[in-house]
């Protein structure tokens, strides 16, 4: 899906939620769609295109 340089992380990468935003609904609905197909929610969850729910884990 990603056609820019550098390419966004793949949906299987641990940082897949860092891809570029292509549809931003954070201010009205609390989510955005990333160019790799991931849906990122404001509450720290994200859905990958295969339908799996994940939580963003930030290491200190």
């Amino acid at each position: 899906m990603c056609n820019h340089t550098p390419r966004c992380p793949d949906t299987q990468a641990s940082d897949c939620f860092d891809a570029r935003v292509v549809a931003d609904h954070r201010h009205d609905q609390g989510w955005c769609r990333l160019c790799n197909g991931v849906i990122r929610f404001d509450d720290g969850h994200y859905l990958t295109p295969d339908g799996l729910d994940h939580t963003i884990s930030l290491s200190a």
Side-chain angles (χ1 to χ4, degrees):
M1 290 184 212
C2 182
N3 61 3
H4 51 269
T5 304
R7 293 185 62 83
C8 287
D10 184 74
T11 60
Q12 302 302 315
S14 62
D15 62 346
C16 67
F17 50 82
D18 286 333
R20 292 187 186 184
V21 173
V22 295
D24 192 351
H25 296 279
R26 289 176 286 189
H27 55 277
D28 60 342
Q29 296 177 7
W31 63 274
C32 61
R33 186 171 60 87
L34 308 178
C35 81
N36 60 2
V38 169
I39 304 295
R40 182 175 180 173
F41 297 94
D42 286 348
D43 68 357
H45 284 87
Y46 63 96
L47 293 174
T48 52
D50 57 6
L52 296 177
D53 182 15
H54 303 273
T55 301
I56 298 170
S57 60
L58 302 174
S59 301

